[in-house]
Amino acid sequence: VQLVESGGGLVQAGGSLRLSCAASGTSFSINVMGWYRQAPGKQRELVATITSGRSTNFADSVKGRFTISRDNIKNTVYLQMNSLKPEDTAVYYCYALRPPSYAYWGQGTQVTVSS
């Protein structure tokens, strides 16, 4: 499975960005797709995930500001990030999980929020 991310960049605090991640290279359904992030000097952390049934899970730090959605036909997941804060600055990694328990990661896309 290959994951190709797009949509990162530089934005001012309070602004918005939309990340996209397209999965290819598999005929298996992908159970879970989502996003993690890693800031300099910190561990990678969960941002949000969404199942094929569209159940979602969010980190407390992004609840109410970020939304996640997916297109199961296109195997694409989207992360809409609103009201961005400088502490959201990180490399954002797309994540996919397919049966039985194979996990895949994208190459990462930089999100920088200036104050």
Side-chain angles (χ1 to χ4, degrees):
V1 176
Q2 293 81 42
L3 301 177
V4 179
E5 302 139 333
S6 61
L10 173 65
V11 65
Q12 288 187 333
S16 299
L17 282 174
R18 188 189 193 214
L19 305 182
S20 300
C21 173
S24 62
T26 179
S27 58
F28 292 93
S29 62
I30 298 177
N31 289 350
V32 181
M33 297 189 77
W35 297 89
Y36 284 68
R37 67 187 181 187
Q38 188 167 17
K42 295 187 177 181
Q43 290 188 331
R44 190 173 297 191
E45 63 177 7
L46 168 75
V47 177
T49 60
I50 184 168
T51 69
S52 56
R54 294 183 170 80
S55 294
T56 59
N57 182 41
F58 292 92
D60 288 342
S61 60
V62 306
K63 284 180 180 177
R65 300 188 297 122
F66 292 10
T67 59
I68 189 169
S69 60
R70 66 185 284 176
D71 183 328
N72 288 335
I73 295 176
K74 295 181 179 180
N75 271 343
T76 300
V77 63
Y78 306 95
L79 183 70
Q80 178 66 43
M81 305 184 292
N82 298 327
S83 301
L84 282 161
K85 304 175 181 180
E87 51 263 44
D88 294 317
T89 295
V91 177
Y92 284 68
Y93 294 92
C94 180
Y95 166 82
L97 182 69
R98 74 160 181 87
S101 60
Y102 295 109
Y104 300 89
W105 295 92
Q107 79 283 358
T109 185
Q110 178 70 45
V111 171
T112 303
V113 185
S114 63
S115 57

